[in-house]
Amino acid sequence: MPRGLAAAVVAVFLLCLAPARLSAQTDAPRDSQPAKRDTARTPAPRSRAWYERLSLRGYTQVRYNRLLETNPDLTCAQCDRSIGRNNGFFIRRSRIVLSGEVHPRVSVYIQPDLASEANGQLHYAQIRDAYFDLFLDSAKTLRLRVGQSKIPFGFQNLQSSSNRLPLDRDDGLNSGLPNERDLGVMGYWSPPTARHRFKVLTDSGYKGSGDYGVVGLGIFNGQTANRAEQNDGQHAVLRVSYPFQLPGGQFVEAGVQGYSGRFVIPSSQRTAGLNAPREFDDRRVAASLIVYPQPIGFQAEWNVGRGPSFSREGTPTIREEHLSGGYAMVMMRTKPGSHVLTPFARGQYYDGGKKLDTDARHHRVRELEVGAEWLPFSAFELTASYVASDRRTSDFAAPDAREQGRFLRLQAQFNY
């Protein structure tokens, strides 16, 4: 990202501090003499220590993907490394969240994942989120988020994996931000009505994404989560999304978002002998529409942009090329007795490179997933989905590879 643009973004954040100063003056007592209280009968309430304001929660997902499998060579490393040959039961995620308000103006959110993979070995611990929210006004409508957190691009990217119906995010939008997170500073603005609706959509079981602001603006490194920065520029991101409530009570959320920056493909992600530039433009724009399941819902997102992609035309190399893709999904939330059953169907398409793959491997994905999530009680969920997939890839080692297949997936999720 040009340094001038970065400076402009920082200037916006500094200007946001003005409401905080004004709020501090407004909140101060007008009379320097405190009102007299009868302390003989009513003891003063004990202020809680910062560590007493923290809460601990988490979830674990255990999967099996090999039922009714027609092609064991069909894989999707970005989606789930346990898809395909030589795989069995797999802990996809095992996360613990430490969060809370340690001050009226500061909250903390730390989430490690105990089921990460490293060099083919499983169950390594890795930081997913480690950020602090600094509220700039007493109403908490404006805040800065500092640290490693989700980048506000795409509804399904922001939706928690514990809350999402399909077992994996779509290739189209998620290929721009694998792991959905990066190090940076985000600014979020949420007026009270929107904040309340974001909370209702999450707490009610309607599969909301949480409060990432009506407006989200930020700068971040751009190499994705847990990866060192590789150049002197940052990415910039902007998202605008609003949860409308129709007269009948139906919630509808619409949003637009985009990011831009320069991405570096390190030598470890290139095949030896492949001659290609080191740095590439990396920019996208996307639109989102969510009709929440009350009881029938619809969800669709689409993005277009440019990014690094392997090209076999002429001399094989990595080039900046056009990309596009997204998904559409229908779902229905039903409540048989005390249970919650939510069947869904999602179709997705993506045509473009994946910048974290070897040689920024080019993908053309067509996939249909039909499944259902069963929630018998709050601590346990079971999801089953049947997938029909057609994936064509191109890199230096395999310039024209294609795998098609179908398989049944099961996931048990434990919430604690």
Side-chain angles (χ1 to χ4, degrees):
M1 180 182 67
R3 294 183 179 178
L5 180 56
V9 172
V10 173
V12 171
F13 290 150
L14 293 177
L15 288 173
C16 290
L17 292 173
R21 289 194 294 267
L22 178 60
S23 175
Q25 295 172 2
T26 304
D27 296 342
R30 296 181 181 179
D31 190 345
S32 59
Q33 297 295 326
K36 294 183 178 179
R37 298 172 55 194
D38 184 2
T39 58
R41 297 182 178 179
T42 306
R46 183 181 71 89
S47 61
R48 293 187 300 165
W50 65 269
Y51 52 83
E52 295 179 308
R53 303 188 187 108
L54 297 174
S55 67
L56 193 65
R57 68 182 189 277
Y59 67 98
T60 296
Q61 297 172 340
V62 182
R63 292 184 183 176
Y64 188 76
N65 295 310
R66 306 296 301 279
L67 295 173
L68 307 181
E69 184 183 64
T70 63
N71 180 7
D73 293 325
L74 175 66
T75 62
C76 180
Q78 177 191 323
C79 310
D80 181 345
R81 295 182 184 276
S82 67
I83 296 174
R85 191 184 302 276
N86 297 326
N87 279 300
F89 292 103
F90 184 70
I91 298 179
R92 180 66 174 89
R93 296 175 178 89
S94 185
R95 299 185 178 178
I96 297 176
V97 177
L98 179 69
S99 64
E101 290 191 359
V102 296
H103 183 274
R105 294 290 182 88
V106 176
S107 68
V108 59
Y109 190 100
I110 297 176
Q111 178 181 221
D113 189 349
L114 307 180
S116 297
E117 182 193 36
N119 301 318
Q121 302 296 311
L122 303 180
H123 308 152
Y124 281 83
Q126 187 179 76
I127 286 291
R128 289 297 171 183
D129 298 278
Y131 63 79
F132 300 85
D133 280 351
L134 174 63
F135 297 98
L136 303 181
D137 62 334
S138 59
K140 299 184 178 180
T141 61
L142 189 64
R143 68 189 188 274
L144 294 181
R145 177 165 291 179
V146 183
Q148 180 165 294
S149 67
K150 288 184 177 179
I151 304 303
F153 179 82
F155 176 86
Q156 201 166 85
N157 279 352
L158 295 175
Q159 195 178 34
S160 171
S161 297
S162 65
N163 202 30
R164 190 180 60 249
L165 285 171
L167 297 190
D168 295 305
R169 294 179 172 90
D170 70 295
D171 289 64
L173 278 77
N174 194 242
S175 61
L177 291 163
N179 298 319
E180 305 85 51
R181 297 161 173 85
D182 209 332
L183 273 165
V185 179
M186 306 293 144
Y188 293 111
W189 174 71
S190 296
T193 299
R195 289 191 68 211
H196 173 71
R197 290 176 183 174
F198 284 134
K199 188 176 188 305
V200 167
L201 291 169
T202 300
D203 295 347
S204 63
Y206 292 150
K207 306 296 185 182
S209 66
D211 184 0
Y212 288 87
V214 170
V215 178
L217 172 69
I219 54 174
F220 58 101
N221 282 344
Q223 292 298 126
T224 74
N226 301 317
R227 292 171 178 257
E229 176 65 334
Q230 299 286 327
N231 57 21
D232 291 327
Q234 280 75 47
H235 280 51
V237 64
L238 173 64
R239 179 176 186 257
V240 179
S241 186
Y242 193 81
F244 299 92
Q245 186 172 21
L246 305 182
Q250 175 71 54
F251 286 101
V252 177
E253 186 174 345
V256 293
Q257 52 259 300
Y259 74 79
S260 179
R262 298 281 292 175
F263 183 80
V264 174
I265 298 180
S267 57
S268 60
Q269 285 180 224
R270 302 163 181 258
T271 300
L274 179 63
N275 186 22
R278 178 175 180 269
E279 193 170 317
F280 301 84
D281 274 343
D282 179 27
R283 57 181 184 271
R284 301 189 183 203
V285 294
S288 308
L289 175 64
I290 299 90
V291 179
Y292 287 93
Q294 298 171 271
I296 297 175
F298 173 78
Q299 188 173 314
E301 298 189 90
W302 192 265
N303 79 154
V304 297
R306 293 187 66 82
S309 177
F310 178 81
S311 175
R312 61 178 182 171
E313 300 298 327
T315 302
T317 187
I318 304 173
R319 296 188 175 93
E320 292 172 4
E321 293 191 344
H322 176 77
L323 59 87
S324 65
Y327 69 93
M329 180 173 70
V330 293
M331 58 278 199
M332 182 173 67
R333 187 172 185 265
T334 63
K335 300 187 71 175
S338 61
H339 300 193
V340 178
L341 181 65
T342 310
F344 65 92
R346 182 184 72 174
Q348 66 158 318
Y349 172 84
Y350 179 59
D351 185 2
K354 291 191 177 181
K355 58 191 180 185
L356 293 192
D357 281 4
T358 300
D359 302 335
R361 185 178 294 115
H362 184 272
H363 291 251
R364 182 170 293 173
V365 178
R366 294 180 176 90
E367 189 170 89
L368 175 64
E369 180 176 4
V370 179
E373 178 192 271
W374 173 46
L375 178 66
F377 44 87
S378 61
F380 175 71
E381 300 174 19
L382 180 65
T383 301
S385 69
Y386 188 70
V387 179
S389 186
D390 181 352
R391 293 178 175 269
R392 173 171 284 172
T393 61
S394 180
D395 58 25
F396 190 72
D400 189 13
R402 183 180 184 183
E403 298 293 345
Q404 298 172 282
R406 298 178 299 278
F407 53 101
L408 177 64
R409 315 179 69 187
L410 296 177
Q411 174 180 282
Q413 177 173 304
F414 300 89
N415 306 309
Y416 41 87

